[in-house]
């Protein structure tokens, strides 16, 4: 056994496990996408099962059969994808997904029969779902519970046809009045109607429960009992008998219902101020308090303010004129009799779609409130326009101040660089004066130096001067010796690692040309500092500067790239600048 190699292999194995865990943790799948992907990858047997089931089913209509439901709450609830937050992600690899729908068929009375059908999609079996609850119901609000079957049907859960009288009304079938029957039929249409979007898409989801009363969150239904078989058919027959007994009263109430609605639309509504306003062709005011689009609030507010200022003044003027011309006295005089007749018809009707008879004082108070609300909208639009104008002026002032500041900063930088260059020219000139060799004086009889044999250097290295040397006064500035042409043209780059990348940038939004100038000046200063004050810098500029415009003005931030190299031989003067190829 290789004892020394074991820790190495263990370390490698732990590293691989850690990397795999990190890769898994970094993979985030939105829960909505996970649900739809599960449906797209459904087993082919599901489609074959549904096709055969539809051919044999006695249902009149069903909800959508192509919706995946995602499991949560320990597998007792399956939610519709539209009920899942867009930010929700898959928390584990075993999230169950099922395919489910409801089926309906008409009965002998107004209450339809219904059942649930469920198929597995991912990470779940129907045996597991079957063990989660005694009943299945739609997820939220009006649940319509159905008992779970005792066994699966070809691998699917299919509940028995279910009838639930007390899901739609708390009244017994034997004591229903015509008005209660009408209310029950309205509820049936709302929660089981073929054209209802919530029914056809079953957006509430699926819940597995132990008590059918837990299926109702919107309305209390303590006596709700989902019935099947002979017991359900007996309750259906009792309701049909009650409908037959009330057929005469139902017909009379329906007639009175039609009279009530006609009286409201022909006798009361034409006398109201709202009808007078419509007759005056007053425009509809814009509600400035509506919800603002959070994705683009500034633009939405601007459009809303524009619409308010265009339409509300015309509405206010028209409504004020309508108030002056409306015959309020005639309505006040007729109001008591109109209210009495409307109440009589309502009591005799099916009591569906109730409409109030406007009280004169309340009607005029609401009319004035509408005008005041339109005025408030105008004030809001004016304040918004003033705020926008003030912000625009502030941005212009800031842009002008920033441009002036950076223009001054640019001028200061140029002036400082010129001052430093002038100082260094003086320093280098003084250095050349001290280091230049003295000029050779012309020989004259008066200035000749007499040499004797003794003036030569002795063999032992000692020297003796026998004649005085004439002092030579050195000029203040010596002429610069001319360099050979070969020396001027053979100046190479200083190091082997050439092409040093540098970037210059400005730090405030400015006009584009100014911003580019400052970016280039900042890069030149970098190059000079990098190469040193006594060497020339060679700059190769990028042809594509990067400039980004401000979101609030026409100014820019710019960056300029370049490759910088330094020459080997020093310059003639310090801070000799740069050379552009």
């Amino acid at each position: 056994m290789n004892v020394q190699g074991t820790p190495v292999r263990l370390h490698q194995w732990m590293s691989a496990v850690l990397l795999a865990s990190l890769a898994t943790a970094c993979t985030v799948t939105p829960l909505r996408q996970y649900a739809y992907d599960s449906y797209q990858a459904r087993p082919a047997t599901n489609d074959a099962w549904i096709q055969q089931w539809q051919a044999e089913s006695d249902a009149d209509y069903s909800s959508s059969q192509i919706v995946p439901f995602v499991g949560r709450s320990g597998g007792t609830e399956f939610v519709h994808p539209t009920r899942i937050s867009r930010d929700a992600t898959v928390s584990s690899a075993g999230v169950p997904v099922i395919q489910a729908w409801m089926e309906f068929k008409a009965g002998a009375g107004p209450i339809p029969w219904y059942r649930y059908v469920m198929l597995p999609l991912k990470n779940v079996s129907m045996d597991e779902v079957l063990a989660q609850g005694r009943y299945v119901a739609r997820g939220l609000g009006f649940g319509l519970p159905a008992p779970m079957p005792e066994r699966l049907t070809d691998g699917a859960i299919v509940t028995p046809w279910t009838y639930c009288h007390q899901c739609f009304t708390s009244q017994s079938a034997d004591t229903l009045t015509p008005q209660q029957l009408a209310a029950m039929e309205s509820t049936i249409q709302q929660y089981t109607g073929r054209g209802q979007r919530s029914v056809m898409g079953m957006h509430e989801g699926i819940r597995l429960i132990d008590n059918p009363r837990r299926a109702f969150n919107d309305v209390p239904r303590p006596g709700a009992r989902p019935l099947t078989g002979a017991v359900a058919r007996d309750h259906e027959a009792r309701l049909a008998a009650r409908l037959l007994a009330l057929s005469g009263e139902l017909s009379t109430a329906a007639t009175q219902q039609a009279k009530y609605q006609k009286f409201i639309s022909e006798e009361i509504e034409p006398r109201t101020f709202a009808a007078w306003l419509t007759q005056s062709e007053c425009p509809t005011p814009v509600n400035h308090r509506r919800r603002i689009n959070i994705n683009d609030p500034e633009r939405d507010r601007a459009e809303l303010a524009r619409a308010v200022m265009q339409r509300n003044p015309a509405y206010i003027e028209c409504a004020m004129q309508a108030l002056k011309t409306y015959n309020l006295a005639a309505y006040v005089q007729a109001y008591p009799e109109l209210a009495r007749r409307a109440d009589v018809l309502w009591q005799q009707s099916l009591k569906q779609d109730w409409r109030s008879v406007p009280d004169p004082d309340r009607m005029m108070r609401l009319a004035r409130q509408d005008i005041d609300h339109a005025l408030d909208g105008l004030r809001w639009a004016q304040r918004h326009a003033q705020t926008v104008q003030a912000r625009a002026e502030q941005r212009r002032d800031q842009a002008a101040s920033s441009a002036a500041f950076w223009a001054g900063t640019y001028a200061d930088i140029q002036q400082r660089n010129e001052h430093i260059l002038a100082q260094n020219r003086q320093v280098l000139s003084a250095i050349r004066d001290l280091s230049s060799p003295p000029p050779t004086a012309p020989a004259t009889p008066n200035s000749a130096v007499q040499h004797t044999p003794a003036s030569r250097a002795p063999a032992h290295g000692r020297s003796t001067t026998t004649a005085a040397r004439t002092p030579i006064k050195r000029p203040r500035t010596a002429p610069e010796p001319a360099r050979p042409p070969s020396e001027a043209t053979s100046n190479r780059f200083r190091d082997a690692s050439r092409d040093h990348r540098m970037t210059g940038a400005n730090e405030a939004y400015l006009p584009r040309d100014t911003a580019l100038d400052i970016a280039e000046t900042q890069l030149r200063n970098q190059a000079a500092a990098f190469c040193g004050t006594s060497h020339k810098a060679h700059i190769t500029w990028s042809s594509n500067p990067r400039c980004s415009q401000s979101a609030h003005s026409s100014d820019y931030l710019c960056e300029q790239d370049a490759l910088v190299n330094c020459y080997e031989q020093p310059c003639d003067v310090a801070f000799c600048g740069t050379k552009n190829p």
Side-chain angles (χ1 to χ4, degrees):
M1 179 177 180
N2 187 0
V3 179
Q4 293 180 350
T6 300
V8 175
R9 289 196 298 271
L10 179 61
H11 175 72
Q12 292 175 345
W13 177 82
M14 292 179 65
S15 299
V17 171
L18 178 60
L19 290 174
S21 301
L22 290 174
T24 302
C26 293
T27 304
V28 178
T29 304
L31 194 53
R32 281 192 178 191
Q33 187 63 42
Y34 173 82
Y36 292 124
D37 289 346
S38 299
Y39 176 76
Q40 294 297 329
R42 65 191 180 277
T45 54
N46 279 31
D47 291 343
W49 193 98
I50 293 173
Q51 185 176 4
Q52 182 178 357
W53 178 258
Q54 288 176 334
E56 300 175 357
S57 175
D58 57 345
D60 293 330
Y61 62 96
S62 68
S63 63
S64 175
Q65 299 172 351
I66 62 172
V67 179
F69 293 88
V70 181
R72 66 181 184 186
S73 301
T76 61
E77 183 178 8
F78 292 85
V79 296
H80 193 283
T82 58
R83 298 288 184 182
I84 301 173
S85 170
R86 295 184 182 275
D87 300 330
T89 57
V90 178
S91 58
S92 64
V95 177
V97 186
I98 66 171
Q99 189 175 355
W101 64 91
M102 287 187 74
E103 294 184 342
F104 299 89
K105 72 175 181 178
I111 298 178
W113 294 67
Y114 60 88
R115 68 182 174 189
Y116 293 85
V117 183
M118 288 177 276
L119 290 170
L121 278 181
K122 190 173 185 178
N123 298 328
V124 69
S125 70
M126 289 296 97
D127 288 319
E128 295 172 339
V129 176
L130 197 62
Q132 291 296 325
R134 297 173 54 201
Y135 297 89
V136 58
R138 291 190 303 196
L140 299 174
F142 206 91
L144 290 180
M148 280 289 206
E150 295 181 357
R151 62 183 63 86
L152 300 181
T153 301
D154 295 332
I157 292 178
V158 181
T159 68
W161 282 113
T162 304
Y163 180 88
C164 186
H165 169 87
Q166 291 184 329
C167 289
F168 301 98
T169 178
S170 59
Q171 301 297 321
S172 170
D174 301 324
T175 61
L176 284 170
T177 66
Q179 290 76 21
Q180 290 169 345
L181 276 170
M184 183 183 71
E185 290 178 353
S186 176
T187 304
I188 292 171
Q189 173 60 29
Q190 179 180 356
Y191 291 107
T192 67
R194 183 193 296 264
Q196 298 293 328
R197 181 174 178 268
S198 60
V199 175
M200 303 313 293
M202 206 162 65
H203 294 284
E204 293 87 352
I206 294 289
R207 283 193 296 171
L208 307 176
I209 55 179
D210 293 326
N211 191 322
R213 284 182 292 183
R214 292 182 56 198
F216 300 93
N217 296 335
D218 291 348
V219 290
R221 290 288 187 265
R225 288 190 304 150
L227 304 176
T228 61
V231 178
R233 288 190 292 273
D234 178 64
H235 276 73
E236 184 181 40
R238 288 170 56 192
L239 178 60
R242 183 60 178 170
L243 286 171
L244 181 62
L246 293 176
S247 59
E249 295 181 38
L250 283 170
S251 177
T252 302
T255 301
Q256 295 301 105
Q257 179 73 34
K259 289 181 179 180
Y260 170 76
Q261 293 175 343
K262 182 178 180 180
F263 179 74
I264 293 294
S265 61
E266 294 183 1
E267 297 293 334
I268 294 179
E269 290 181 351
R271 300 170 184 261
T272 62
F273 178 75
W276 182 250
L277 204 62
T278 303
Q279 186 178 346
S280 302
E281 298 182 352
C282 293
T284 303
V286 177
N287 180 16
H288 69 284
R289 295 176 183 170
R290 69 166 173 78
R291 186 184 298 273
I292 298 297
N293 182 8
I294 61 174
N295 295 323
D296 195 357
E298 290 301 323
R299 180 178 179 180
D300 198 25
R301 286 193 185 94
E303 293 179 353
L304 177 60
R306 189 180 303 110
V308 167
M309 298 184 74
Q310 287 175 351
R311 291 168 55 181
N312 282 24
Y315 165 79
I316 294 170
E317 183 179 355
C318 183
M320 293 292 290
Q321 184 64 28
L323 279 176
K324 295 178 182 179
T325 57
Y326 175 63
N327 192 353
L328 178 61
Y331 183 80
V332 171
Q333 183 177 1
Y335 170 74
E337 180 62 17
L338 293 174
R340 186 192 66 80
R341 291 174 60 189
D343 184 63
V344 170
L345 290 172
W346 171 255
Q347 296 300 330
Q348 298 172 352
S349 71
L350 293 174
K351 295 186 177 180
Q352 300 293 303
D353 192 21
W354 178 79
R355 303 289 181 88
S356 67
V357 180
D359 176 84
D361 293 338
R362 185 173 183 273
M363 181 176 65
M364 302 312 295
R365 184 171 65 253
L366 292 177
R368 288 189 289 268
Q369 286 180 1
D370 290 342
I371 296 175
D372 291 341
H373 186 68
L375 282 170
D376 290 341
L378 272 181
R379 298 187 188 100
W380 171 83
Q382 291 171 354
R383 289 195 300 270
H384 181 269
Q386 292 171 356
T387 301
V388 171
Q389 183 178 1
R391 289 176 180 173
E393 292 177 354
Q394 183 180 9
R395 286 195 294 267
R396 285 195 295 269
D397 293 343
Q398 289 176 348
S401 175
S402 178
F405 170 78
W406 285 107
T409 302
Y410 180 70
D412 290 343
I413 292 173
Q414 292 287 82
Q415 184 177 3
R416 184 183 62 181
N417 289 345
E418 292 174 359
H419 179 68
I420 293 174
L421 289 174
Q423 287 182 335
N424 281 274
R425 289 191 190 100
Q426 295 177 1
V427 172
L428 287 179
S429 177
I431 292 173
R432 282 198 302 270
D433 290 347
L434 294 175
S435 60
S436 298
T440 303
T444 60
N446 296 329
S447 61
V449 178
Q450 297 295 328
H451 295 281
T452 63
S455 64
R456 296 180 181 176
H460 298 288
R462 292 190 302 238
S463 62
T464 304
T465 302
T466 59
R469 185 184 301 270
T470 303
I472 300 173
K473 189 173 183 179
R474 187 173 294 166
R476 180 174 179 83
T477 303
E480 181 180 354
R483 286 186 296 173
S486 61
E487 180 182 351
T489 58
S490 62
N491 194 356
R492 296 177 302 174
F493 293 150
R494 191 167 61 195
D495 54 8
S497 58
R498 302 171 184 171
D499 292 343
H500 302 279
R501 181 185 179 90
M502 294 186 182
T503 300
N506 69 310
E507 299 178 355
Y509 286 102
L510 296 170
R512 194 175 189 277
D513 294 340
T514 304
L516 278 174
D517 287 343
I518 292 179
E520 293 177 357
T521 299
Q522 203 266 352
L523 193 145
R524 288 191 182 96
N525 291 339
Q526 292 183 52
F530 177 75
C531 293
T533 59
S534 59
H535 290 79
K536 182 182 289 291
H538 183 281
I539 299 179
T540 303
W541 297 96
S542 169
S543 61
N544 296 315
R546 300 184 299 277
C547 292
S548 58
Q549 188 176 1
S550 170
H552 306 293
S553 67
S554 59
D555 294 337
Y556 291 82
L557 286 177
C558 290
E559 293 184 350
Q560 175 66 59
D561 295 332
L563 300 178
V564 177
N565 291 284
C566 305
Y567 284 103
E568 287 183 344
Q569 297 178 7
C571 301
D572 300 336
V573 294
F575 290 97
C576 55
T578 59
K579 177 181 180 180
N580 298 334

